[in-house]
Amino acid sequence: MHKWLRSTESIVFEVSDGIATITLNRPQKRNALTRPMLAELRQALMEADDRKAVHCVVLQGAGPDFCSGYDMLQNYEMREGAHQADGVDHDPALYRAPIGNIDDDVWRIERNQADILTIFDIHKPVIAKIHGHCVNGGTDLALMADIIIAADDARIGFPAVRSQGSPPCHMWTYLVGPQWAKRLLLTGDFILGREAARIGLVLAAVAPAQLDEEVARLASRMALIDADILACNKRTVNIAMELMGSRMLQRLAAETDVRGHLAQSNREFLRRFADEGLGAAFRARDEPFGKSIIGE
């Protein structure tokens, strides 16, 4: 019986030895994010935060990837006027259009953002365990975590900046500074876990075979500490970041992403997506960049 968690269609929630593990569980879709999945993620985070036995949270992905980003097929179906939202039938004429005007688009993004910000807002620390691809919306999740541990061959990046917009959640500058943030977001290139650790985008990178053990070791050390003390220290650091404008920047990031949605390149991406399929749209966007891994 859960107090907060209503369904687990897209995630797995487990508690053991003071650690709550939340697993994104759409491996067949590379854990692409949907509205129902984000709602379940928020519920699971609140469940962990409210449970007395939980001291910290590990966020991970099932299958070969942590998260491939937002589910483009679902977003396209919404754009075409599907009659379901969050799994609830409705009359679309009574509600905002999925992509109707600028304010509707901002409103939609802010709904996703509110769920993702729960990672930052809950009192208990969250460790993101990154393997495989951590792409686009996957970075929105991971970079909100308190600590990120990555496989040294994990691929981290936001290639959507090449044509579609900008990250609707922005922690990049806070983690790596303006020049590296621009290097990543002005090209959409990927950075491997080992390089991400070198520049501070993640705390540490380890061999893939050691990732589970490394994260378990860190989470177990946190589990030794009174949850109230963990909350004191997480929240002090987070408030320091908020004093540096991190909360206001998230609001601006959502609105700036919508500005990017108006670009001709995004219109062309969506046209190609509709006419030729998602794979063709991705190829047209990414093939001109060739090999897209920084340092290789």
Side-chain angles (χ1 to χ4, degrees), residues 180 183 189-192 194-195 198 291-296:
W180 266 110
R183 172 63 182 88
D189 288 342
F190 289 97
I191 190 167
L192 294 179
R194 64 180 72 95
E195 287 297 300
R198 183 179 66 81
K291 195 166 187 178
S292 296
I293 300 175
I294 294 172
E296 289 198 345

Side-chain angles (χ1 to χ4, degrees), residues 95-296:
Y95 299 94
R96 291 175 182 264
I99 309 291
N101 56 37
I102 290 175
D103 193 62
D104 289 346
D105 202 4
V106 172
W107 187 88
R108 176 183 62 86
I109 289 173
E110 286 178 343
R111 290 184 64 218
N112 290 343
Q113 193 184 75
D115 290 336
I116 293 168
L117 281 167
T118 309
I119 298 168
F120 186 89
D121 288 339
I122 64 170
H123 291 216
K124 294 171 183 176
V126 179
I127 303 168
K129 181 166 72 176
I130 304 305
H131 75 291
H133 286 79
C134 178
V135 181
N136 296 333
T139 68
D140 288 344
L141 297 184
L143 301 189
M144 281 293 167
D146 301 292
I147 292 176
I148 309 168
I149 308 294
D152 59 17
D153 63 352
R155 294 190 176 195
I156 304 167
F158 211 105
V161 298
R162 292 172 174 171
S163 66
Q164 295 159 264
S166 63
C169 297
H170 186 102
M171 296 299 289
W172 300 81
T173 302
Y174 292 97
L175 295 174
V176 298
Q179 290 198 77
W180 266 110
K182 290 176 182 177
R183 172 63 182 88
L184 291 159
L185 299 181
L186 296 179
T187 63
D189 288 342
F190 289 97
I191 190 167
L192 294 179
R194 64 180 72 95
E195 287 297 300
R198 183 179 66 81
I199 68 172
L201 188 63
V202 307
L203 176 71
V206 298
Q210 298 172 358
L211 183 60
D212 289 346
E213 180 183 354
E214 183 70 16
V215 171
R217 182 185 300 116
L218 177 58
S220 296
R221 292 179 70 81
M222 291 183 184
L224 295 173
I225 298 174
D226 188 312
D228 291 345
I229 299 298
L230 292 170
C232 288
N233 289 295
K234 167 173 176 167
R235 289 168 70 78
T236 298
V237 175
N238 283 6
I239 289 168
M241 295 176 70
E242 290 185 21
L243 289 171
M244 292 186 281
S246 67
R247 200 66 175 204
M248 178 61 73
L249 184 59
Q250 303 320 305
R251 181 179 293 276
L252 293 171
E255 300 206 2
T256 303
D257 187 25
V258 170
R259 175 182 171 182
H261 294 171
L262 302 176
Q264 181 58 39
S265 59
N266 187 48
R267 298 176 190 274
E268 174 59 23
F269 179 92
L270 292 173
R271 183 205 62 75
R272 193 179 298 273
F273 181 10
D275 293 346
E276 303 174 37
L278 187 57
F282 283 152
R283 285 192 296 274
R285 183 192 71 187
D286 295 331
E287 282 183 352
F289 291 85
K291 195 166 187 178
S292 296
I293 300 175
I294 294 172
E296 289 198 345

Side-chain angles (χ1 to χ4, degrees), residues 32-82:
L33 302 173
T34 64
R35 276 299 314 144
M37 188 180 197
L38 286 170
E40 287 186 351
L41 175 61
R42 175 179 168 77
Q43 293 168 15
L45 289 163
M46 294 301 295
E47 183 75 27
D49 210 28
D50 203 3
R51 289 259 194 125
K52 293 180 179 179
V54 172
H55 291 236
C56 67
V57 179
V58 172
L59 177 62
Q60 62 183 10
D65 297 297
F66 173 72
C67 178
S68 62
Y70 298 99
D71 190 319
M72 294 293 296
L73 290 173
Q74 186 202 59
N75 286 343
Y76 183 73
E77 289 169 358
M78 289 175 60
R79 185 183 294 271
E80 293 300 293

